[in-house]
Short mmCIF file of all heavy atoms in Angstrom, two decimals:
data_model
loop_
_atom_site.label_atom_id
_atom_site.label_comp_id
_atom_site.label_asym_id
_atom_site.label_seq_id
_atom_site.Cartn_x
_atom_site.Cartn_y
_atom_site.Cartn_z
N SER A 232 20.03 29.45 -135.51
CA SER A 232 20.58 29.89 -134.23
C SER A 232 19.57 30.78 -133.52
O SER A 232 18.61 31.26 -134.14
CB SER A 232 21.89 30.64 -134.43
OG SER A 232 21.67 31.83 -135.15
N LYS A 233 19.80 31.00 -132.25
CA LYS A 233 18.94 31.91 -131.49
C LYS A 233 19.75 32.57 -130.38
O LYS A 233 20.78 32.05 -129.94
CB LYS A 233 17.74 31.17 -130.91
CG LYS A 233 18.06 30.21 -129.78
CD LYS A 233 16.78 29.66 -129.16
CE LYS A 233 17.09 28.74 -127.98
NZ LYS A 233 15.86 28.26 -127.33
N LEU A 234 19.24 33.69 -129.92
CA LEU A 234 19.86 34.40 -128.82
C LEU A 234 19.23 33.96 -127.50
O LEU A 234 18.01 33.84 -127.40
CB LEU A 234 19.69 35.92 -128.99
CG LEU A 234 20.51 36.59 -130.08
CD1 LEU A 234 20.09 38.04 -130.23
CD2 LEU A 234 22.00 36.51 -129.76
N ILE A 235 20.09 33.70 -126.51
CA ILE A 235 19.61 33.34 -125.18
C ILE A 235 20.38 34.18 -124.15
O ILE A 235 21.47 34.68 -124.46
CB ILE A 235 19.80 31.84 -124.86
CG1 ILE A 235 21.30 31.48 -124.89
CG2 ILE A 235 19.00 30.97 -125.81
CD1 ILE A 235 21.60 30.10 -124.35
N PRO A 236 19.85 34.35 -122.95
CA PRO A 236 20.64 35.03 -121.91
C PRO A 236 21.96 34.30 -121.71
O PRO A 236 22.00 33.07 -121.69
CB PRO A 236 19.74 34.91 -120.66
CG PRO A 236 18.35 34.82 -121.22
CD PRO A 236 18.49 34.02 -122.49
N VAL A 237 23.05 35.05 -121.58
CA VAL A 237 24.37 34.43 -121.49
C VAL A 237 24.46 33.47 -120.31
O VAL A 237 25.19 32.46 -120.37
CB VAL A 237 25.46 35.52 -121.40
CG1 VAL A 237 25.38 36.27 -120.08
CG2 VAL A 237 26.85 34.92 -121.60
N THR A 238 23.72 33.72 -119.24
CA THR A 238 23.78 32.87 -118.06
C THR A 238 23.11 31.51 -118.26
O THR A 238 23.20 30.65 -117.40
CB THR A 238 23.12 33.57 -116.86
OG1 THR A 238 21.78 33.95 -117.20
CG2 THR A 238 23.91 34.80 -116.44
N GLN A 239 22.43 31.34 -119.41
CA GLN A 239 21.83 30.04 -119.71
C GLN A 239 22.70 29.23 -120.66
O GLN A 239 22.34 28.10 -121.01
CB GLN A 239 20.43 30.24 -120.32
CG GLN A 239 19.41 30.82 -119.37
CD GLN A 239 18.10 31.12 -120.05
OE1 GLN A 239 17.74 30.51 -121.06
NE2 GLN A 239 17.35 32.08 -119.52
N SER A 240 23.81 29.79 -121.07
CA SER A 240 24.67 29.07 -122.01
C SER A 240 25.59 28.12 -121.26
O SER A 240 26.04 28.41 -120.14
CB SER A 240 25.51 30.07 -122.82
OG SER A 240 26.50 30.67 -122.00
N LYS A 241 25.87 27.00 -121.88
CA LYS A 241 26.72 26.00 -121.24
C LYS A 241 28.14 26.54 -121.06
O LYS A 241 28.80 26.19 -120.07
CB LYS A 241 26.74 24.71 -122.06
CG LYS A 241 27.39 23.56 -121.32
CD LYS A 241 27.09 22.23 -121.95
CE LYS A 241 27.68 21.09 -121.11
NZ LYS A 241 27.39 19.76 -121.69
N GLU A 242 28.58 27.38 -121.98
CA GLU A 242 29.94 27.93 -121.87
C GLU A 242 30.08 28.81 -120.62
O GLU A 242 31.07 28.72 -119.89
CB GLU A 242 30.28 28.75 -123.13
CG GLU A 242 30.47 27.92 -124.39
CD GLU A 242 29.15 27.43 -124.98
OE1 GLU A 242 28.07 27.94 -124.57
OE2 GLU A 242 29.19 26.52 -125.84
N TRP A 243 29.08 29.66 -120.38
CA TRP A 243 29.13 30.54 -119.21
C TRP A 243 29.05 29.71 -117.93
O TRP A 243 29.81 29.93 -116.98
CB TRP A 243 27.98 31.54 -119.27
CG TRP A 243 28.01 32.57 -118.18
CD1 TRP A 243 28.66 33.78 -118.22
CD2 TRP A 243 27.39 32.49 -116.90
NE1 TRP A 243 28.47 34.45 -117.03
CE2 TRP A 243 27.70 33.69 -116.20
CE3 TRP A 243 26.60 31.54 -116.26
CZ2 TRP A 243 27.25 33.96 -114.91
CZ3 TRP A 243 26.15 31.80 -114.96
CH2 TRP A 243 26.48 33.00 -114.30
N LEU A 244 28.14 28.75 -117.90
CA LEU A 244 27.99 27.90 -116.72
C LEU A 244 29.23 27.06 -116.47
O LEU A 244 29.63 26.85 -115.32
CB LEU A 244 26.76 26.99 -116.90
CG LEU A 244 25.41 27.69 -116.83
CD1 LEU A 244 24.31 26.76 -117.34
CD2 LEU A 244 25.10 28.13 -115.40
N GLU A 245 29.85 26.59 -117.55
CA GLU A 245 31.07 25.79 -117.41
C GLU A 245 32.17 26.58 -116.70
O GLU A 245 32.86 26.06 -115.82
CB GLU A 245 31.55 25.34 -118.79
CG GLU A 245 32.76 24.42 -118.74
CD GLU A 245 33.15 23.91 -120.13
OE1 GLU A 245 32.78 24.56 -121.13
OE2 GLU A 245 33.82 22.88 -120.20
N GLU A 246 32.31 27.85 -117.06
CA GLU A 246 33.32 28.68 -116.40
C GLU A 246 32.99 28.87 -114.92
O GLU A 246 33.87 28.84 -114.06
CB GLU A 246 33.41 30.04 -117.09
CG GLU A 246 34.48 30.94 -116.48
CD GLU A 246 34.61 32.27 -117.18
OE1 GLU A 246 34.00 32.45 -118.25
OE2 GLU A 246 35.33 33.15 -116.64
N VAL A 247 31.70 29.07 -114.63
CA VAL A 247 31.28 29.25 -113.23
C VAL A 247 31.55 27.98 -112.43
O VAL A 247 32.13 28.03 -111.33
CB VAL A 247 29.79 29.63 -113.15
CG1 VAL A 247 29.30 29.59 -111.70
CG2 VAL A 247 29.56 31.02 -113.72
N PHE A 248 31.14 26.83 -112.96
CA PHE A 248 31.29 25.57 -112.24
C PHE A 248 32.76 25.17 -112.08
O PHE A 248 33.17 24.68 -111.04
CB PHE A 248 30.54 24.45 -112.97
CG PHE A 248 29.04 24.58 -112.91
CD1 PHE A 248 28.24 24.08 -113.94
CD2 PHE A 248 28.41 25.20 -111.85
CE1 PHE A 248 26.87 24.19 -113.89
CE2 PHE A 248 27.03 25.33 -111.80
CZ PHE A 248 26.25 24.82 -112.83
N GLU A 249 33.55 25.37 -113.13
CA GLU A 249 34.92 24.86 -113.12
C GLU A 249 35.94 25.86 -112.56
O GLU A 249 36.97 25.44 -112.03
CB GLU A 249 35.33 24.45 -114.54
CG GLU A 249 34.54 23.26 -115.07
CD GLU A 249 35.06 22.76 -116.40
OE1 GLU A 249 36.08 23.30 -116.87
OE2 GLU A 249 34.46 21.82 -116.97
N GLU A 250 35.65 27.16 -112.66
CA GLU A 250 36.67 28.14 -112.31
C GLU A 250 36.29 29.05 -111.13
O GLU A 250 37.17 29.66 -110.53
CB GLU A 250 36.99 29.02 -113.53
CG GLU A 250 37.40 28.26 -114.77
CD GLU A 250 38.73 27.54 -114.62
OE1 GLU A 250 39.52 27.95 -113.75
OE2 GLU A 250 38.96 26.55 -115.35
N GLN A 251 35.01 29.18 -110.81
CA GLN A 251 34.62 30.23 -109.89
C GLN A 251 33.93 29.75 -108.60
O GLN A 251 34.36 30.10 -107.50
CB GLN A 251 33.69 31.23 -110.60
CG GLN A 251 34.34 31.90 -111.81
CD GLN A 251 33.39 32.86 -112.51
OE1 GLN A 251 32.41 33.33 -111.95
NE2 GLN A 251 33.67 33.13 -113.78
N VAL A 252 32.88 28.97 -108.75
CA VAL A 252 31.99 28.75 -107.61
C VAL A 252 32.66 28.04 -106.44
O VAL A 252 32.44 28.39 -105.27
CB VAL A 252 30.71 28.01 -108.08
CG1 VAL A 252 30.99 26.56 -108.42
CG2 VAL A 252 29.62 28.09 -107.02
N CYS A 253 33.51 27.06 -106.71
CA CYS A 253 34.15 26.34 -105.60
C CYS A 253 35.19 27.20 -104.89
O CYS A 253 35.44 27.00 -103.69
CB CYS A 253 34.78 25.03 -106.10
SG CYS A 253 33.54 23.76 -106.49
N GLY A 254 35.76 28.16 -105.60
CA GLY A 254 36.66 29.09 -104.95
C GLY A 254 35.92 29.96 -103.95
O GLY A 254 36.41 30.23 -102.85
N VAL A 255 34.73 30.40 -104.32
CA VAL A 255 33.89 31.19 -103.42
C VAL A 255 33.50 30.37 -102.20
O VAL A 255 33.56 30.84 -101.05
CB VAL A 255 32.62 31.69 -104.15
CG1 VAL A 255 31.65 32.35 -103.17
CG2 VAL A 255 32.99 32.66 -105.26
N ILE A 256 33.09 29.12 -102.43
CA ILE A 256 32.66 28.26 -101.33
C ILE A 256 33.82 27.95 -100.39
O ILE A 256 33.66 27.96 -99.16
CB ILE A 256 32.02 26.97 -101.89
CG1 ILE A 256 30.68 27.32 -102.56
CG2 ILE A 256 31.81 25.93 -100.79
CD1 ILE A 256 30.04 26.19 -103.32
N ALA A 257 35.00 27.71 -100.94
CA ALA A 257 36.17 27.43 -100.10
C ALA A 257 36.52 28.63 -99.23
O ALA A 257 37.03 28.47 -98.11
CB ALA A 257 37.36 27.05 -100.97
N GLU A 258 36.22 29.84 -99.72
CA GLU A 258 36.57 31.06 -98.98
C GLU A 258 35.51 31.48 -97.99
O GLU A 258 35.82 31.92 -96.88
CB GLU A 258 36.82 32.19 -99.98
CG GLU A 258 37.27 33.49 -99.34
CD GLU A 258 37.63 34.57 -100.35
OE1 GLU A 258 37.92 34.20 -101.51
OE2 GLU A 258 37.60 35.75 -99.99
N ASP A 259 34.24 31.35 -98.37
CA ASP A 259 33.15 31.91 -97.56
C ASP A 259 32.43 30.88 -96.69
O ASP A 259 31.57 31.25 -95.88
CB ASP A 259 32.12 32.59 -98.46
CG ASP A 259 32.68 33.82 -99.16
OD1 ASP A 259 33.74 34.32 -98.71
OD2 ASP A 259 32.08 34.29 -100.15
N TYR A 260 32.76 29.60 -96.86
CA TYR A 260 32.08 28.54 -96.11
C TYR A 260 33.07 27.89 -95.13
O TYR A 260 34.28 28.01 -95.28
CB TYR A 260 31.52 27.48 -97.05
CG TYR A 260 30.31 27.92 -97.85
CD1 TYR A 260 30.39 28.96 -98.78
CD2 TYR A 260 29.07 27.29 -97.69
CE1 TYR A 260 29.28 29.36 -99.51
CE2 TYR A 260 27.96 27.68 -98.42
CZ TYR A 260 28.07 28.71 -99.33
OH TYR A 260 26.97 29.10 -100.05
N VAL A 261 32.52 27.18 -94.16
CA VAL A 261 33.35 26.51 -93.18
C VAL A 261 32.83 25.08 -93.00
O VAL A 261 31.64 24.82 -93.13
CB VAL A 261 33.32 27.26 -91.82
CG1 VAL A 261 31.92 27.24 -91.21
CG2 VAL A 261 34.33 26.69 -90.85
N LYS A 262 33.76 24.18 -92.75
CA LYS A 262 33.36 22.81 -92.41
C LYS A 262 33.09 22.77 -90.91
O LYS A 262 33.91 23.19 -90.11
CB LYS A 262 34.47 21.81 -92.76
CG LYS A 262 34.02 20.35 -92.60
CD LYS A 262 35.11 19.38 -93.04
CE LYS A 262 36.07 19.12 -91.91
NZ LYS A 262 37.06 18.07 -92.24
#
């Protein structure tokens, strides 16, 4: 095993992609 920055882990990215980023875009962006 090895230690990596948490932001490079698939688990962390999965949460961002599936739970967070589109909510931000829906709120802060406009069509």
Side-chain angles (χ1 to χ4, degrees):
S232 65
K233 71 173 182 177
L234 288 173
I235 62 170
V237 68
T238 55
Q239 293 174 26
S240 71
K241 191 165 184 179
E242 290 76 14
W243 186 88
L244 289 167
E245 184 176 22
E246 182 178 351
V247 171
F248 291 151
E249 294 187 4
E250 305 294 337
Q251 299 179 22
V252 72
C253 287
V255 172
I256 291 172
E258 183 175 338
D259 294 343
Y260 288 64
V261 65
K262 188 176 85 174

